[in-house]
């Protein structure tokens, strides 16, 4: 594998001359890997291309931006369960994976997933994966609890938080009631379980920054969270331990895609290849990253790294249920339940 971090003479010459340089516009969550200063500087020096970011706060906002701003973006972060919808709407272009030197490291379970492919074409390059579960304040818990029921423990009333997301909340409720996250048979049981959680909730968080601020202020004992975010929070020095409980956790896959209306598709592919490079990932992981979808990158981690030690544990992986797409009717039903629960809090 040729590392994207090693500057070739031609790349250096390109950077020096500015010839054929493009401005790549990336649409992503803020602070999620693609906008790391040290990585952007190295990429820009290596290719001559510059990178500008725009951010979204929800997947629905991401889809809206793609629909209403044709030509505005060149690379977009797409949670894989939204990839089929975005592909069907014609929002994404197929990616020529033969141009990606690091694509070979992505195992078939991700690379050939129906979530990121359609008709033999790749519409999303698997980038990162992780789990949604909960994290605890280690100044309150020692050892960390191994069950979701801690969210409902009266001892932590007013010091619990859950993300303000209807689908995620319903799936947490499904796990807590022993149901599959992708096939909730007893919605009444989930609604009742979440209703019982509402008196426990200090606040609903919406972003990693929100979560970190509340935890830093000592206002959370336990809160739902993402595995990669927990790794970053711990790297920042927050007293955080991530838990994959006996009930299981929600698995997700994020992909990097090229919008159909991008005018810089070749440069966009260069940037995506940079993002799946094991050398980039190992450095990012040290700062707190989700698990890499590139098996070669995961294998390059130190054995003590969270994403190898925890998410690489087969026993933990067996408890993870990966998300599948949620149809609009189900999503609307979940939203109505969630909004009613919050209104009654």
């Amino acid at each position: 594998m040729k590392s994207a971090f090693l500057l070739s003479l031609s790349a250096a010459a390109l950077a020096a001359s500015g010839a054929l340089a493009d401005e790549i516009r990336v649409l992503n969550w803020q602070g999620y890997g693609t906008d790391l200063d040290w990585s952007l500087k190295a990429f820009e020096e290596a290719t001559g291309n510059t990178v500008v970011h725009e951010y979204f706060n929800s997947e629905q906002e991401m889809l809206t931006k793609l629909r209403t701003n044709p030509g505005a973006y060149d690379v977009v972060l797409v949670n894989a369960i939204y990839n089929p919808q975005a592909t069907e709407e014609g929002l994404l272009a197929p990616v020529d994976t033969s141009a990606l030197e690091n694509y070979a490291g992505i195992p078939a379970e991700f690379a050939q997933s129906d979530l990121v492919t359609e008709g033999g074409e790749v519409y999303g390059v698997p980038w990162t994966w992780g789990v949604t579960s909960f994290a605890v304040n280690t100044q309150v818990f020692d050892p960390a609890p191994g069950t979701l029921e801690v969210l409902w423990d009266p001892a932590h009333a007013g010091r619990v938080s859950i993300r303000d997301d209807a689908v995620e909340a319903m799936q947490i409720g499904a796990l807590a009631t022993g149901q599959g996250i992708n096939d909730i048979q007893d919605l009444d049981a989930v609604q009742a379980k979440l209703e019982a959680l509402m008196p426990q909730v200090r606040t609903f968080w919406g972003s990693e920054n929100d979560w970190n601020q509340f935890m830093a202020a000592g206002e959370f004992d336990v809160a739902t969270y993402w595995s990669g975010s927990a790794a970053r929070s711990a790297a920042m020095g927050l007293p955080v331990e991530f838990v994959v409980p006996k009930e299981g956790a929600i698995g997700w896959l994020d992909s990097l895609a090229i919008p159909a209306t991008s005018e810089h598709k070749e440069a966009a592919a260069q940037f995506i290849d940079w993002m799946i490079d094991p050398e980039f990932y190992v450095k990012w992981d040290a700062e707190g990253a989700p698990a890499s979808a590139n098996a070669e990158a995961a294998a390059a981690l130190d054995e003590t790294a969270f994403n190898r030690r925890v998410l690489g544990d087969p026993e933990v992986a067996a408890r993870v249920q990966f998300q599948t797409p949620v149809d609009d009717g189900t999503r609307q039903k979940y939203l109505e339940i969630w909004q009613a629960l919050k209104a009654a809090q």
Side-chain angles (χ1 to χ4, degrees):
M1 179 197 69
K2 173 187 172 184
S3 171
F5 281 75
L6 299 177
L7 304 185
S8 68
L9 291 176
S10 59
L14 175 63
S17 67
L20 304 178
D22 287 322
E23 180 181 86
I24 304 168
R25 300 190 67 84
V26 178
L27 182 62
N28 193 0
W29 303 95
Q30 187 168 11
Y32 191 20
T34 61
D35 58 359
L36 292 166
D37 288 341
W38 56 264
S39 177
L40 292 180
K41 181 180 179 181
F43 175 77
E44 291 174 356
E45 290 177 351
T47 65
N49 298 318
T50 56
V51 182
V52 176
H53 275 77
E54 187 172 326
Y55 302 108
F56 56 82
N57 293 306
S58 71
E59 283 85 1
Q60 295 303 321
E61 182 183 356
M62 175 271 294
L63 291 171
T64 298
K65 285 179 177 290
L66 290 181
R67 293 175 186 131
T68 58
N69 297 284
Y73 311 110
D74 303 299
V75 175
V76 58
L77 185 285
V78 185
N79 182 300
I81 64 169
Y82 291 90
N83 200 289
Q85 178 182 350
T87 301
E88 183 178 349
E89 291 187 29
L91 298 174
L92 305 178
V95 180
D96 178 9
T97 59
S98 67
L100 307 181
E101 296 180 11
N102 297 297
Y103 189 77
I106 300 174
E109 62 190 273
F110 289 142
Q112 298 175 13
S113 169
D114 291 341
L115 295 177
V116 295
T117 61
E118 176 63 38
E121 300 275 15
V122 173
Y123 285 88
V125 175
W127 181 44
T128 58
W129 71 276
V131 298
T132 298
S133 180
F134 68 86
V136 299
N137 186 329
T138 56
Q139 295 178 342
V140 176
F141 291 94
D142 184 20
T147 173
L148 270 173
E149 287 301 317
V150 67
L151 296 168
W152 284 266
D153 186 341
H156 305 289
R159 299 183 60 78
V160 173
S161 186
I162 186 170
R163 183 182 172 218
D164 188 7
D165 182 273
V167 173
E168 190 172 294
M170 294 298 291
Q171 291 179 341
I172 291 290
L175 290 172
T177 55
Q179 301 187 65
I181 65 169
N182 298 308
D183 185 26
I184 302 176
Q185 295 293 312
D186 191 345
L187 278 177
D188 290 340
V190 170
Q191 183 171 352
K193 189 68 173 175
L194 292 175
E195 185 175 6
L197 180 64
M198 293 300 103
Q200 297 281 106
V201 173
R202 163 71 177 81
T203 188
F204 301 100
W205 64 274
S207 70
E208 182 175 321
N209 185 60
D210 292 342
W211 198 98
N212 285 334
Q213 288 182 348
F214 281 109
M215 181 61 77
E219 296 188 37
F220 288 170
D221 286 355
V222 55
T224 61
Y225 210 21
W226 303 310
S227 54
S229 296
R232 283 190 292 278
S233 298
M236 291 170 53
L238 292 177
V240 172
E241 181 174 348
F242 188 79
V243 179
V244 179
K246 63 181 182 179
E247 295 90 349
I250 302 164
W252 45 265
L253 172 67
D254 279 340
S255 70
L256 293 172
I258 299 177
T261 56
S262 167
E263 298 178 358
H264 309 291
K265 291 184 174 64
E266 184 176 342
Q270 283 184 303
F271 186 72
I272 291 174
D273 198 35
W274 186 275
M275 286 291 105
I276 61 174
D277 188 312
E279 192 169 344
F280 159 76
Y281 178 70
V282 169
K283 187 170 182 179
W284 182 26
D285 184 79
E287 300 179 7
S292 175
N294 185 331
E296 293 178 3
L301 295 178
D302 187 274
E303 291 184 0
T304 62
F306 172 86
N307 284 316
R308 186 167 180 176
R309 176 177 51 84
V310 177
L311 297 189
D313 183 342
E315 183 180 339
V316 172
R319 298 201 296 272
V320 176
Q321 298 182 39
F322 272 85
Q323 292 176 317
T324 59
V326 179
D327 64 76
D328 289 342
T330 300
R331 186 180 300 279
Q332 183 59 35
K333 185 182 299 183
Y334 288 176
L335 183 60
E336 291 170 359
I337 292 173
W338 182 236
Q339 289 177 334
L341 287 168
K342 291 194 300 177
Q345 187 192 25

